Amino acid sequence: MQRSLISLAVMALLGLSAGAPTLVAAAPAAKVTQVTTQLPRTAVPTHYAVSLTPDAANSSFSASVTIALDVKQATSSLTLNAADLKFSAAAISAGPGKPQQAASKTDIDADKQTVTFHFADTLKPGSYQLKLDYTGVIGTQASGLFSLDYDNGGAKKRALYTQFENSDARRMIPSWDEPFYKATFALEATVPAGQMAVSNMPVSSTTKLADGRELVRFATSPKMSTYLLFFGLGEFDRATAVQDGVELGVITQKGALGQAQFALDSSRDVLKEYNDYFGVKYPLPKLDNIAAPGRSQFFSAMENWGAIFTFENSILLDPRVATQSDKEVSFLVAAHEMAHQWFGDLVTMAWWDDLWLNEGFASWMESRTTTRLHPEWNWELRAVGTREGAMEQDALATTHPIVQHIATVEQASQAFDNITYSKGESVIRMLENYVGEEGWRAGVRSYIAKHAYGNTVSDDLWREVEKAAHKPVTAIAHDFTLQPGVPLIRVADAVCKDGKTTIQLTQGEFSKDKENKKPLSWRVPVIAQTVGGATVRTVVSGGKASMTLPGCGAVLVNAGQSGYYRTLYTDKAFGALAKGFATMPTIDQLGLLSDSWALGMAGLMPASSFLDLANSAPVDAAPQVWQKIAGVLAGLHDSYEGKPEQRAALDRFARARLAPVFARIGWTAAKDEAAPVANLRETLIRVLGEVGDDSVIAEARRRYAASATDKSAMPAALRRPILSVIAASADAATWDQMRAAAKAEQSNMIKAQMYDLLGSASDKAQAQRALDLALTDEPGATAGASIISHVASNHPDLAFDFAISHRDQIDKIVDGASRSRYFPGLGGRSADPAMIGKLQAYARQYLPADAQGDTKQAIAAIEYRIKVRTKRLPQIDAWLKQHAG
């Protein structure tokens, strides 16, 4: 599943119930594994035959399911997961044609999302068929079976889709809705004639019914977890291609296939790459990517086996607005979700504790594959930004291990975070670098082949990698996945003798909010070099290590930036690196910038250390370096809210540093311009607009005004950054003008982007208007929550107070999996101490104790933000006074 709100790619670009019992169950290869369950282990399903009749117009459905199951222990009841379902019949038999025993009683527990069927006669161990007739609801947000309304050529349309991860298959099918319970699925649906029905497998037959509808049957799926089942229905178009004998498809609303070609081509390239890398061919006959209008606050794409669901803004490229960064996101999403077809779908974690086996690995594969198939994007440099995104969360006391115990549905939903995705990816990158690319791949291939169609825990992967690579990876992996936090490697001053340099390393722990925390212990793979010299490797174990490096000169630790740790140099050593900053490899420049910023804000280095590097960066430094510098300066601009004099000084410095870089690349792309330069142009326009560059703001306004009659004034590559500048400074008249344009826009994807911009106004009065608009029907059922989130970027206290005061309405426009994190996400951007009390009150009133993880993280982020503003900004002020006037 791809995270939503701000894609992880864009983040990297900017630098920016009671406890469940643990029972024994059989896993593949006759191995006994401890797995968690919230259901009794008395029975195990093997096959679901589902007959579905959706009524889109009335937002309801009727259905029946026959579940083949094996009773393992004698029982007089069966408990399944079910949510918002009403049952009209329930009966069990020993097989087709055998006598049926109707349920004597049906108990529904809405809080636990279960249904229990009681039977008068005890069910002895053996095989049975459970037949259930029931009805359910079609929602308007992305959970269970849901509808999305959209405009198509001026006509109102409604399409149906499903979203079941992590625990919402139970909203359409009463089932053993846990990843460990794998089964096959045979789905049929009665649908309106002329509409396209889509599922994991190809259509096996279509029968016209007497009432004009059609009965569509799909081929039986392989054995898989419930959360991977998919059903879609609507007026769709489908583009296809064939790769390695598999039919690939991209499904869109009518008339949008022209925007799907890049995604289709990318799917072909990625499938070929993955078939080779994993050593196990993709096993299904087809693989569709279904592009849907709308959005979610929880996710942007979902890896249903053979039927990937993706919101269209994450995969389609509309030539009127698509930028280079949009193209990159489209490829990343395809690469991420297709990696899941192996890591997640073919081999599935036994329980949500090991969610990172799905998401961390898919994130790593997306980055690896982007680097291989699009070398012109220099994607390997994004590794530093990915690591930073993880460390931002991991250095707070509220963090958690990569492998964490999950006891409830709410906790499972909250596990989809930067630790699972970005730390997971970063740790995999470090471990692959440690064992070697070939050994790592051999281990992955063995893991996939051995556990195909089964369930695993993390140690299953480490076992296979260790065998293949012949290196003791398990101990290191345990250190980084079973405990939280960020190692800190302190580097003592180097000693050079006889052409060799010796350094002493000490391992501590980097914490942003626990200054005197007793450090945990890690075995840390370290790569170091004298700048320009050969690299040397070691593992810091027991807290200390000594390294001898060839050559004399400035010493760089974490050379190549594959390690997951912070590096703290002495003032002398950092000064030597700073002097040679311009000659370092780009990835190490990014690493040094990132460490100096984080360590400076945490009080372990002068807070101005980053600015020293930024001040010395040459104008022709790599675009990614200037992306990082621009991102930090924009963040500092936000930190000076309420301090106009200090903000003005910071903004002068930002303009002085960034304007020459922008002048060098200009408003118009050069012929054959590199992709990272195009991305930098977008960023610089936005950031220079924020810090008050008069020439950029004036040109943005000129182009915006001219675009009413001259479409070339605002080409696709410039449209979004120009509009962001206009929206940020919008007065009432401009806000009205932009709203009118949003209402008139025919493209659902562009319309949603324009409504988001209305939430970006710096002016508080316009921000309030955006909040009021978000709760109306005008933006669309899935757009309102996003508008409020955009308001929170500039006005977190206003957005949070508004959301709380309209909580019942907000709950209707936020998908269920997001609710426990949506409100904390708004308030967590604040720097007002009063927000801490508001969040605590919200959690006490509305969240169970085991669903407060995101609230605690939001509070920790606020406390840290306050600490930065009171303790670190004065150092920045002093530096700016000395260096920038």
Side-chain angles (χ1 to χ4, degrees):
M1 181 187 286
Q2 195 83 19
R3 287 281 310 282
S4 189
L5 298 181
I6 301 174
S7 82
L8 296 180
V10 175
M11 290 170 65
L13 179 70
L14 295 179
L16 307 173
S17 93
T22 300
L23 303 174
V24 176
K31 182 181 64 181
V32 175
T33 304
Q34 296 291 319
V35 293
T36 303
T37 182
Q38 291 177 318
L39 295 171
R41 285 274 188 237
T42 52
V44 176
T46 58
H47 179 73
Y48 295 84
V50 184
S51 182
L52 175 69
T53 303
D55 182 353
N58 293 304
S59 299
S60 64
F61 68 88
S62 60
S64 65
V65 61
T66 299
I67 308 172
L69 57 93
D70 293 330
V71 172
K72 298 296 186 180
Q73 304 169 26
T75 181
S76 59
S77 66
L78 292 172
T79 299
L80 292 70
N81 291 117
D84 297 327
L85 302 180
K86 295 180 179 179
F87 295 89
S88 56
I92 196 166
S93 69
K98 298 292 179 67
Q100 288 191 339
Q101 180 185 177
S104 58
K105 183 182 178 184
T106 299
D107 287 332
I108 293 177
D109 189 324
D111 291 335
K112 292 184 178 180
Q113 298 185 342
T114 60
V115 58
T116 300
F117 301 105
H118 300 269
F119 301 96
D121 296 335
T122 298
L123 305 176
K124 298 178 181 179
S127 297
Y128 294 85
Q129 287 192 341
L130 176 66
K131 187 174 189 309
L132 307 172
D133 296 328
Y134 58 98
T135 58
V137 296
I138 298 175
T140 58
Q141 302 299 320
S143 57
L145 177 61
F146 66 98
S147 64
L148 289 173
D149 293 341
Y150 61 97
D151 291 320
N152 184 278
K156 298 290 185 183
K157 302 292 181 181
R158 174 170 290 182
L160 302 182
Y161 308 92
T162 57
Q163 166 58 22
F164 290 161
E165 191 176 26
N166 45 274
S167 306
D168 284 320
R170 63 193 67 179
R171 298 186 182 278
M172 193 180 92
I173 306 172
S175 54
W176 281 260
D177 193 18
E178 297 177 3
F180 185 79
Y181 288 108
K182 287 193 167 187
T184 54
F185 292 82
L187 175 64
E188 67 177 29
T190 300
V191 302
Q195 293 196 11
M196 183 186 296
V198 188
S199 188
N200 309 76
M201 299 295 287
V203 173
S204 59
S205 69
T206 301
T207 305
K208 292 188 180 298
L209 303 178
D211 61 6
R213 295 181 297 174
E214 295 178 340
L215 177 63
V216 178
R217 289 190 173 94
F218 298 95
T220 300
S221 77
K223 188 179 175 186
M224 65 183 189
S225 301
T226 50
Y227 76 90
L228 297 171
L229 185 65
F230 177 79
F231 174 73
L233 176 67
E235 297 180 25
F236 302 146
D237 284 335
R238 182 172 185 252
T240 62
V242 175
Q243 178 64 47
D244 295 348
V246 175
E247 184 177 83
L248 298 168
V250 178
I251 294 172
T252 71
Q253 58 174 284
K254 289 282 187 182
L257 277 188
Q259 302 172 26
Q261 190 60 49
F262 179 75
L264 187 61
D265 293 341
S266 298
S267 295
R268 293 185 65 175
D269 294 340
V270 172
L271 184 66
K272 183 178 180 181
E273 173 71 15
Y274 287 176
N275 277 338
D276 174 67
Y277 185 85
F278 289 116
V280 174
K281 298 290 187 185
Y282 174 77
L284 276 65
K286 67 97 175 175
L287 175 55
D288 280 317
N289 204 316
I290 299 96
R295 60 182 60 188
S296 163
Q297 296 299 296
F298 185 57
F299 74 107
S300 60
M302 173 61 205
E303 65 267 20
N304 313 296
W305 211 0
I308 297 168
F309 174 89
T310 309
F311 287 106
E312 59 186 15
N313 63 316
S314 295
I315 196 159
L316 300 185
L317 299 179
D318 188 326
R320 293 175 295 165
V321 298
T323 64
Q324 171 62 28
S325 60
D326 291 326
K327 189 176 183 179
E328 291 168 0
V329 168
S330 176
F331 185 86
L332 284 171
V333 169
H336 183 101
E337 303 307 330
M338 290 177 70
H340 276 310
Q341 306 299 298
W342 285 264
F343 254 86
D345 298 1
L346 181 62
V347 181
T348 312
M349 76 262 141
W351 180 248
W352 302 108
D353 294 10
D354 286 289
L355 174 63
W356 89 283
L357 276 178
N358 286 12
E359 301 301 348
F361 204 95
S363 297
W364 176 77
M365 280 299 292
E366 81 177 48
S367 296
R368 176 195 179 276
T369 304
T370 305
T371 297
R372 282 180 58 82
L373 298 185
H374 285 286
E376 73 278 11
W377 295 350
N378 300 134
W379 207 259
E380 67 280 1
L381 300 178
R382 304 295 183 96
V384 177
T386 299
R387 185 182 69 199
E388 292 306 297
M391 288 183 175
E392 279 295 304
Q393 179 178 340
D394 207 20
L396 293 170
T398 51
T399 188
H400 61 82
I402 289 178
V403 179
Q404 58 178 319
H405 179 60
I406 300 296
T408 67
V409 168
E410 290 82 5
Q411 287 179 349
S413 297
Q414 293 186 352
F416 292 82
D417 64 3
N418 271 341
I419 301 301
T420 297
Y421 284 77
S422 298
K423 184 176 182 179
E425 174 183 349
S426 299
V427 168
I428 288 173
R429 181 178 293 109
M430 178 178 67
L431 294 175
E432 186 213 25
N433 189 280
Y434 171 68
V435 305
E437 183 178 340
E438 292 304 315
W440 179 264
R441 183 173 70 168
V444 168
R445 286 180 166 185
S446 177
Y447 168 84
I448 292 290
K450 185 173 184 178
H451 298 284
Y453 304 102
N455 299 84
T456 60
V457 295
S458 296
D459 277 354
D460 294 317
L461 175 61
W462 307 141
R463 191 177 299 111
E464 299 307 315
V465 171
E466 199 160 88
K467 275 191 219 170
H470 306 294
K471 278 194 173 183
V473 70
T474 300
I476 297 172
H478 280 178
D479 286 350
F480 281 89
T481 61
L482 299 183
Q483 61 184 4
V486 181
L488 175 69
I489 300 297
R490 296 177 181 268
V491 186
D493 282 329
V495 176
C496 184
K497 185 178 181 181
D498 299 329
K500 295 181 180 180
T501 297
T502 301
I503 56 172
Q504 305 298 324
L505 307 178
T506 306
Q507 180 250 300
E509 182 174 353
F510 172 66
S511 174
K512 299 198 302 185
D513 56 354
K514 295 291 183 183
E515 295 180 5
N516 299 312
K517 182 181 187 298
K518 181 180 179 181
L520 298 172
S521 178
W522 289 266
R523 279 153 282 205
V524 185
V526 170
I527 304 173
Q529 64 179 157
T530 54
V531 174
T535 57
V536 175
R537 296 169 179 259
T538 193
V539 175
V540 178
S541 183
K544 294 182 179 180
S546 177
M547 299 183 75
T548 300
L549 314 174
C552 291
V555 172
L556 178 68
V557 173
N558 205 4
Q561 304 303 309
S562 63
Y564 187 82
Y565 55 87
R566 293 262 179 235
T567 305
L568 178 60
Y569 300 95
T570 63
D571 291 344
K572 177 182 176 182
F574 181 80
L577 287 170
K579 286 181 182 178
F581 180 78
T583 62
M584 283 184 189
T586 301
I587 196 164
D588 291 317
Q589 290 179 326
L590 292 170
L592 196 62
L593 284 166
S594 298
D595 275 341
S596 66
W597 175 246
L599 293 165
M601 290 301 99
L604 295 172
M605 291 179 69
S608 57
S609 298
F610 176 91
L611 295 181
D612 289 330
L613 295 177
N615 204 31
S616 64
V619 173
D620 61 352
Q624 295 85 351
V625 169
W626 283 111
Q627 289 271 20
K628 176 65 180 179
I629 293 171
V632 169
L633 293 178
L636 272 174
H637 172 87
D638 293 341
S639 295
Y640 278 111
E641 182 184 7
K643 297 184 175 183
E645 184 178 341
Q646 294 91 330
R647 175 180 273 185
L650 182 278
D651 288 353
R652 284 195 297 274
F653 173 72
R655 293 194 298 270
R657 286 272 62 205
L658 300 179
V661 180
F662 184 62
R664 183 170 180 268
I665 64 176
W667 284 86
T668 304
K671 185 180 179 181
D672 300 324
E673 179 177 83
V677 175
N679 290 332
L680 177 60
R681 179 180 292 106
E682 280 193 73
T683 298
L684 289 178
I685 291 172
R686 283 194 293 265
V687 175
L688 283 168
E690 280 186 54
V691 300
D693 187 288
D694 291 336
S695 63
V696 167
I697 294 171
E699 179 63 7
R701 288 173 174 168
R702 185 195 71 77
R703 286 173 175 267
Y704 175 67
S707 67
T709 55
D710 178 11
K711 299 303 180 187
S712 65
M714 207 158 61
L718 296 178
R719 183 179 183 278
R720 200 171 302 150
I722 288 174
L723 288 177
S724 72
V725 173
I726 302 302
S729 59
D731 56 16
T734 303
W735 196 91
D736 286 338
Q737 185 180 15
M738 297 186 74
R739 178 183 178 182
K743 289 177 70 174
E745 176 57 51
Q746 294 295 304
S747 163
N748 299 279
M749 182 162 58
I750 299 175
K751 182 188 288 286
Q753 293 173 359
M754 296 180 73
Y755 275 113
D756 281 347
L757 286 168
L758 293 174
S760 303
S762 298
D763 181 69
K764 192 172 182 178
Q766 310 316 315
Q768 183 62 56
R769 295 177 70 193
L771 292 173
D772 295 335
L773 176 64
L775 295 185
T776 69
D777 294 333
E778 181 185 316
T782 65
S786 181
I787 295 173
I788 297 171
S789 291
H790 277 75
V791 172
S793 296
N794 292 317
H795 309 280
D797 303 274
L798 178 68
F800 180 84
D801 291 346
F802 176 85
I804 289 295
S805 65
H806 297 84
R807 192 182 66 85
D808 289 343
Q809 290 171 272
I810 298 296
D811 279 348
K812 295 176 183 177
I813 62 173
V814 176
D815 40 307
S818 302
R819 287 175 190 158
S820 64
R821 68 187 352 165
Y822 181 75
F823 292 90
L826 300 176
R829 305 177 197 185
S830 175
D832 185 348
M835 179 56 71
I836 295 173
K838 292 178 183 179
L839 285 168
Q840 290 171 335
Y842 160 77
R844 282 195 302 268
Q845 186 171 359
Y846 298 116
L847 297 178
D850 56 19
Q852 296 183 13
D854 282 287
T855 304
K856 292 175 181 177
Q857 289 177 24
I859 290 171
I862 293 169
E863 292 172 338
Y864 181 68
R865 195 172 294 115
I866 294 169
K867 177 181 176 181
V868 165
R869 294 189 181 192
T870 55
K871 293 188 175 183
R872 311 297 174 225
L873 289 190
Q875 296 179 44
I876 300 293
D877 295 338
W879 187 94
L880 288 169
K881 186 174 182 179
Q882 180 181 355
H883 292 83

